[in-house]
Amino acid sequence: MKYKVLPVQSKQDIPEIYRDNPVGLLLEYHNLARPFDEYEKACLLVGMCMDNRKSINVPPNFAYIMRVAGADLRGSEFNISYAVSIAGIRHIALICHDLCGMSGLDAKKEAFIEGLVNGAGWTRENAERHFDSMAPKREIGDEVDFVLSEAARLKEMYPKIEVAPLCYRLEDNRLYCVLPE
């Protein structure tokens, strides 16, 4: 999939579709150190990876934040639907990041199995079976390709909701806009 990853170093760098809405505010809070506004209730749902190397700077009550491996929200649709239907969320920021552990899982198979055997007390056979049954369902491949496809899937499921694919770069701890070409 062809895409552009755009840095956000000023308000003018924010794509027009996100300006003056919760996604643009997220970019301003995180990248541009916009002073925090006060929020009574959340106006954004953020789906991002559970990776401990990253966090986003947002004010209290600004966003619901769902952290799952690979920012893979498959299987979390009821939670999203709740935020949309009950909390009135109309914007979703889906954030991938570089060097994600859910990319290239096959290369991590042996370490995964050994970790379960040595760290959790699993039998090797159960650990292998667990990896073999779950890894294909959780492999995301290229992080940016995945966030684009997941954003498109969610947009199809929730056509009135703005779904913004973003990328977090670990080297500078900044959010980037991802736009398909």
Side-chain angles (χ1 to χ4, degrees), residues 73-104:
L73 298 183
R74 295 174 292 186
S76 298
E77 292 80 5
F78 187 82
N79 301 343
I80 297 166
S81 295
Y82 185 90
V84 168
S85 65
I86 302 300
I89 293 299
R90 298 294 176 259
H91 298 84
I92 298 173
L94 191 59
I95 305 172
C96 71
H97 70 94
D98 54 350
L99 307 173
C100 184
M102 291 294 106
S103 179

Side-chain angles (χ1 to χ4, degrees), residues 159-180:
K160 290 186 175 181
I161 305 302
E162 181 67 48
V163 182
L166 305 174
C167 185
Y168 186 106
R169 290 213 173 136
L170 295 170
E171 68 191 39
D172 61 7
N173 298 314
R174 295 178 69 80
L175 292 171
Y176 291 74
C177 292
V178 178
L179 301 175

Side-chain angles (χ1 to χ4, degrees), residues 3 15 49 55 61 79 84 92 105-106 112 135:
Y3 53 80
C49 188
S55 63
N61 301 321
N79 301 343
V84 168
I92 298 173
L105 284 174
D106 282 343
F112 183 95

Side-chain angles (χ1 to χ4, degrees), residues 11-83:
K11 190 168 180 174
Q12 292 71 35
D13 293 335
I14 298 172
E16 195 168 320
I17 191 169
Y18 304 140
R19 284 187 203 153
D20 303 318
N21 74 35
V23 175
L25 288 171
L26 167 65
L27 293 164
E28 288 184 52
Y29 289 134
H30 186 81
N31 284 13
L32 307 179
R34 175 188 170 122
F36 286 174
D37 297 306
E38 290 190 24
Y39 292 87
E40 295 281 323
K41 65 179 212 148
C43 58
L44 178 68
L45 173 68
V46 175
M48 61 189 291
C49 188
M50 62 188 230
D51 190 303
N52 65 304
R53 297 174 291 175
K54 59 187 187 46
S55 63
I56 54 172
N57 299 317
V58 294
N61 301 321
F62 173 71
Y64 293 103
I65 301 177
M66 297 176 61
R67 292 186 70 133
V68 294
D72 183 353
L73 298 183
R74 295 174 292 186
S76 298
E77 292 80 5
F78 187 82
N79 301 343
I80 297 166
S81 295
Y82 185 90

Side-chain angles (χ1 to χ4, degrees), residues 85-135:
S85 65
I86 302 300
I89 293 299
R90 298 294 176 259
H91 298 84
I92 298 173
L94 191 59
I95 305 172
C96 71
H97 70 94
D98 54 350
L99 307 173
C100 184
M102 291 294 106
S103 179
L105 284 174
D106 282 343
K108 301 170 185 94
K109 181 176 181 175
E110 192 56 36
F112 183 95
I113 292 167
E114 288 299 320
L116 287 177
V117 170
N118 297 327
W122 286 42
T123 66
R124 182 168 187 80
E125 180 181 308
N126 284 343
E128 285 179 4
R129 190 172 325 135
H130 183 56
F131 184 90
D132 291 341
S133 70
M134 295 306 296

